[in-house]
Amino acid sequence: MSTNIRKIGVVGTGVIGASWSALFLARGFDVVATDPAPGAEKALREYVANAWPAMETLGAVVPGGSQARLTFRTDIHGIADVDFVQENGPERLEFKHKLYQQLDTLLPPDVIIATSSSGLTMTDIQQGCEHHPERCLVGHPFNPPHLIPLVELVAGKRTAAEAIDRADVFYSALGKKTIRLKKEVPGHVANRLQGVLVREIMSLVSEGVVSVADADAACSWGPGLRWGVMGPVVLNHLGGGVGGIEHFYDQFAGPLVTWWTPLGDFEFTKEVREKMIAGLKEEVGSRDFRDLASERDRLLLTLLKTRLAELPKH
Ligand SMILES: NC(=O)c1ccc[n+]([C@@H]2O[C@H](COP(=O)([O-])OP(=O)(O)OC[C@H]3O[C@@H](n4cnc5c(N)ncnc54)[C@H](O)[C@@H]3O)[C@@H](O)[C@H]2O)c1
């Protein structure tokens, strides 16, 4: 399936829109970005320039990929001639309604409008579209989208299956790993999975079982290393040895179910919040944001080089 996409409109160039812009440019697309905030163009161009070396290291910059293909417009009408829109505006439903009303009127009906929204559903967002809600969908990335491959595709009640197919072809050709949700749920899938894990960490810390630093180490030096290469269900299958998942369930389902019992009546209280913050400060000590972020990115690039080599080439 050809998508015939050459020029991409990026609406909203904050944390997520700037990172998407960097990726689209690296992959050889023309990008027309729009954001009404004062200083938005300067911040965007700086973000893209800073993101470029990491994408070069990953081999994500194709011949023809260039920062010079970025155009910035303060007025949203400046994106009227794009072939695909990635929308990254503020996460407020009434704002998205007004924005989708504008975009729906401005753009030809075959132009897909994908929202990066983490928490809103497309069924709610597309209520803003009077003409062509069928081309609107969720294309939810992970921060920063110029590095993390996952994109969750979700249709709203009025989204056409064909729009999801076209978006899937487009994102896959960009080098993204897509998954499709069969129905809408708040937070989509990956954020819900992260949410459950974080809840359990808070519960274990607040019950005095473990420190924040050791809970983090339990993830990043243990199962987290495996999760970076295979999902938990396949790993359970391997945990069953040659007997596979059936043997794993025979042996471990009993104890596993008992671990689901809550340790107490867990709530995210002020005390839990304070305990988590104090534990985190003890864990990171005097290391500042830049120091931690650069360590994360250095290690992430090494891992990504290996993982991206295994994604199918389109
Ligand atoms: N931050 C994350 O980790 C993350 C991850 C995945 C998805 N998302 C989603 O991405 C979207 C953007 O989040 P963010 O963190 O980048 O927010 P942000 O606040 O950093 O950026 C939002 C941008 O939208 C701009 N904006 C406001 N009105 C606009 C308009 N009328 N037209 C165009 N732009 C306008 C703002 O000036 C701002 O630059 C949200 O829907 C969020 O749920 C965020």
Side-chain angles (χ1 to χ4, degrees):
M1 181 187 291
S2 160
T3 56
N4 288 330
I5 294 165
R6 293 307 320 145
K7 192 185 271 194
I8 300 175
V10 173
V11 177
T13 59
V15 174
I16 292 301
S19 176
W20 269 125
S21 301
L23 179 70
F24 296 144
L25 291 164
R27 305 304 287 178
F29 292 93
D30 292 315
V31 171
V32 188
T34 182
D35 191 312
E41 177 173 4
K42 184 168 176 284
L44 171 61
R45 290 192 186 278
E46 279 173 10
Y47 185 99
V48 171
N50 287 333
W52 211 257
M55 292 188 295
E56 280 178 326
T57 304
L58 284 177
V61 182
V62 300
S66 166
Q67 297 177 51
R69 296 175 84 154
L70 173 62
T71 310
F72 188 88
R73 302 270 183 251
T74 42
D75 183 342
I76 202 156
H77 290 91
I79 66 156
D81 64 343
V82 301
D83 309 313
F84 183 99
V85 167
Q86 187 73 42
E87 177 274 307
N88 319 277
E91 185 79 339
R92 295 194 310 273
L93 188 57
E94 70 286 7
F95 168 85
K96 301 253 192 214
H97 279 164
K98 278 193 203 131
L99 182 63
Y100 277 69
Q101 193 176 29
Q102 262 186 316
L103 291 171
D104 191 35
T105 307
L106 185 66
L107 299 161
D110 62 333
V111 174
I112 287 176
I113 307 173
T115 182
S116 296
S117 176
S118 308
L120 303 172
T121 65
M122 183 40 73
T123 295
D124 286 339
I125 294 175
Q126 68 193 169
Q127 282 171 8
C129 297
E130 288 166 29
H131 309 293
H132 293 288
E134 73 282 355
R135 47 52 182 277
C136 299
L137 51 92
V138 173
H140 177 239
F142 274 76
N143 189 35
H146 71 273
L147 295 182
I148 303 294
L150 185 65
V151 175
E152 296 177 302
L153 293 171
V154 199
K157 285 207 167 66
R158 295 195 288 162
T159 304
E162 189 247 345
I164 295 282
D165 289 343
R166 282 175 58 213
D168 202 347
V169 170
F170 167 68
Y171 287 124
S172 300
L174 270 181
K176 310 302 281 181
K177 171 67 185 172
T178 59
I179 65 163
R180 295 184 184 206
L181 272 64
K182 296 177 184 170
K183 55 164 88 165
E184 295 176 299
V185 283
H188 318 312
V189 166
N191 276 338
R192 293 181 72 92
L193 298 177
Q194 293 195 108
V196 170
L197 185 61
V198 165
R199 180 197 183 282
E200 190 62 19
I201 290 174
M202 288 181 179
S203 169
L204 290 167
V205 169
S206 67
E207 290 290 326
V209 176
V210 72
S211 66
V212 170
D214 279 354
D216 271 350
C219 295
S220 65
W221 286 97
L225 282 172
R226 301 190 309 199
W227 292 332
V229 293
M230 281 182 186
V233 184
V234 176
L235 289 166
N236 284 169
H237 181 52
L238 294 178
V242 289
I245 189 97
E246 292 87 350
H247 181 58
F248 182 87
Y249 286 155
D250 289 345
Q251 204 179 4
F252 297 115
L256 185 76
V257 168
T258 66
W259 305 334
W260 291 341
T261 311
L263 292 180
D265 288 338
F266 181 73
E267 261 182 76
F268 185 60
T269 57
K270 197 166 165 284
E271 289 69 36
V272 172
R273 181 191 148 96
E274 295 309 318
K275 214 166 183 175
M276 292 302 296
I277 293 173
L280 179 274
K281 292 201 165 150
E282 206 175 306
E283 179 180 357
V284 301
S286 60
R287 300 186 67 187
D288 67 5
F289 171 81
R290 274 171 192 269
D291 181 20
L292 287 164
S294 73
E295 177 175 315
R296 176 200 61 194
D297 292 348
R298 179 177 59 80
L299 293 169
L300 200 53
L301 280 185
T302 312
L303 177 63
L304 275 170
K305 267 197 226 172
T306 309
R307 293 299 280 133
L308 289 175
E310 291 177 29
L311 273 181
K313 301 275 173 282
H314 293 267

